[in-house]
Amino acid sequence: MFYSTGLILFAEPPEKNPPRLGDPNVINIQDYKVDSTGKTLETTNINQAISDVSARPGAAFSFFQPAFTSRAPC
């Protein structure tokens, strides 16, 4: 058994051909008027984007800009 009281992170190497804005089935999280400053809790808008992506047939992605993910409050 593995027991831990700390944070565990798993990382994968960068994708060789990552999805990009403008690609079919790529949804930009900013289309949902999400505040990328990290000053506003955006759970509702992000959950709506996830629901929309999940409802699409085939593969689909939500695109988060790198600055968006690095500024989110913990």
Side-chain angles (χ1 to χ4, degrees):
M1 289 243 161
F2 177 79
Y3 297 98
S4 174
T5 58
L7 176 66
I8 299 173
L9 299 175
F10 295 93
E12 294 182 359
E15 293 182 58
K16 293 182 181 180
N17 295 308
R20 300 191 190 289
L21 286 177
D23 288 352
N25 289 330
V26 174
I27 295 176
N28 187 347
I29 194 68
Q30 294 296 26
D31 292 343
Y32 290 82
K33 310 293 186 232
V34 173
D35 173 24
S36 63
T37 66
K39 295 178 182 177
T40 306
L41 184 62
E42 294 290 358
T43 305
T44 301
N45 290 335
I46 291 171
N47 283 340
Q48 184 62 53
I50 292 168
S51 293
D52 291 350
V53 167
S54 298
R56 288 183 172 218
F61 303 92
S62 289
F63 183 83
F64 288 82
Q65 298 169 356
F68 179 87
T69 56
S70 66
R71 292 188 208 164
C74 297

